Amino acid sequence: YTRWSAQELERRGVRASASRLLFRPWLRFLRMYVLEGGFREGRRGIVLCGLAAFSVFTKYARRWESEFRERDASERRPR
């Protein structure tokens, strides 16, 4: 699913940055745990919110990787 999500980010023109890679997962965790009531589920809530945050991290990491690959491929092209 993270590959599809990263492709969706690319389609929408969203670029991955170090700040997005670092902060988006934490924001996902806090949103799910605090605002959406994950704390009410106890340990299960922490695990679920942690997995969701990891998914966001992986999505942006894949997007960042694809940007590096695109940049590397464009630099290797003969002119």
Side-chain angles (χ1 to χ4, degrees):
Y1 291 113
T2 56
R3 184 176 299 138
W4 292 333
S5 297
Q7 289 170 350
E8 177 65 19
L9 289 176
E10 183 177 3
R11 188 186 67 75
R12 291 185 359 224
V14 176
R15 298 193 47 109
S17 64
S19 61
R20 281 189 175 148
L21 194 62
L22 294 174
F23 294 118
R24 287 283 180 144
W26 287 106
L27 292 174
R28 166 65 73 182
F29 180 86
L30 291 173
R31 190 179 110 209
M32 285 185 71
Y33 193 72
V34 177
L35 298 178
E36 295 179 10
F39 63 90
R40 288 188 235 138
E41 300 295 326
R43 272 190 231 149
R44 290 184 181 109
I46 289 175
V47 170
L48 179 63
C49 296
L51 289 172
F54 183 72
S55 176
V56 170
F57 173 81
T58 307
K59 173 176 67 173
Y60 279 97
R62 283 183 182 271
R63 178 65 186 122
W64 199 0
E65 179 186 29
S66 72
E67 289 176 19
F68 275 115
R69 286 185 183 192
E70 290 168 6
R71 195 175 309 139
D72 189 42
S74 67
E75 290 174 356
R76 290 184 186 206
R77 275 191 220 136
R79 295 176 189 204

